[in-house]
Amino acid sequence: MEIFRSASPEETESVALRFAERLGPGSVVALTGPLGAGKTAFVKGIAARFGAASVTSPTYTLVNHYDGSVPVYHFDVYRIEDPDDETRLWIDEYLFGDGVCVIEWADNIADMLPEGAVRVEISKDPAMGENFREIKIC
Ligand SMILES: Nc1ncnc2c1ncn2[C@@H]1O[C@H](COP(=O)(O)OP(=O)(O)OP(=O)(O)O)[C@@H](O)[C@H]1O
Ligand SMILES: [Mg+2]
């Protein structure tokens, strides 16, 4: 397990950019952390690593596609609680495909995550200030 500390969104992105060096086709990154933790900021860093731009929150679309040296699939499954069979099928196609999948609120689909998924937990600590984040990579 690795632990990083961040004091700004930019720092969170740069932690993600460096972390992403270990990712490639077929990688799955499972992001957890409360609302406003910085999950989307972390995805921006990962997308930057693959030369993909304009990361936006896929809250309403469930998945955004970013074109890069490897395609990046950015999920936000906040609204999925108990995925039905049809949902599982199309999500599985991404998870076991050749892109890099990054999933916000990954615990909502915990039982679907492949064995090799990397877990990234982002947490706040009010005692450390408003912009403090701890990023745990397991
Ligand atoms: N160290 C930090 N790292 C990341 N974001 C930070 C940090 N400090 C403050 N912030 C702020 O916290 C917010 C993080 O927003 P972001 O959309 O990345 O969170 P999120 O975890 O994706 O939230 P949601 O669950 O709503 O999708 C932004 O407003 C950002 O400016
Ligand atoms: Mg988000």
Side-chain angles (χ1 to χ4, degrees):
M1 190 181 68
E2 295 153 81
I3 296 181
F4 299 90
R5 292 174 153 207
S6 164
S8 67
E10 294 74 23
E11 219 178 307
T12 296
E13 281 180 46
S14 87
V15 168
L17 183 72
R18 269 176 285 139
F19 157 76
E21 279 171 29
R22 72 185 74 174
L23 304 177
S27 295
V28 176
V29 180
L31 289 172
T32 66
L35 279 171
K39 298 181 293 297
T40 301
F42 198 88
V43 178
K44 283 184 187 161
I46 293 178
R49 155 75 174 82
F50 295 102
S54 57
V55 168
T56 56
S57 187
T59 304
Y60 296 97
T61 47
L62 289 179
V63 61
N64 285 347
H65 294 195
Y66 308 126
D67 260 337
S69 52
V70 177
V72 176
Y73 302 117
H74 175 195
F75 287 79
D76 186 326
V77 295
Y78 180 71
R79 282 185 167 68
I80 292 186
E81 268 170 37
D82 187 15
D84 58 25
D85 288 347
E86 196 189 328
T87 307
R88 282 171 184 274
L89 266 175
W90 73 256
I91 292 179
D92 263 354
E93 273 181 43
Y94 284 96
L95 295 180
F96 296 93
D98 287 334
V100 170
C101 290
V102 191
I103 308 157
E104 299 193 39
W105 299 97
D107 282 346
N108 285 5
I109 57 163
D111 67 328
M112 296 188 62
L113 298 174
E115 198 127 310
V118 187
R119 192 177 166 84
V120 176
E121 299 172 8
I122 307 179
S123 53
K124 303 183 191 178
D125 182 352
M128 299 289 287
E130 200 188 320
N131 296 336
F132 174 86
R133 303 290 188 273
E134 186 183 80
I135 302 165
K136 218 189 277 183
I137 299 174
C138 311

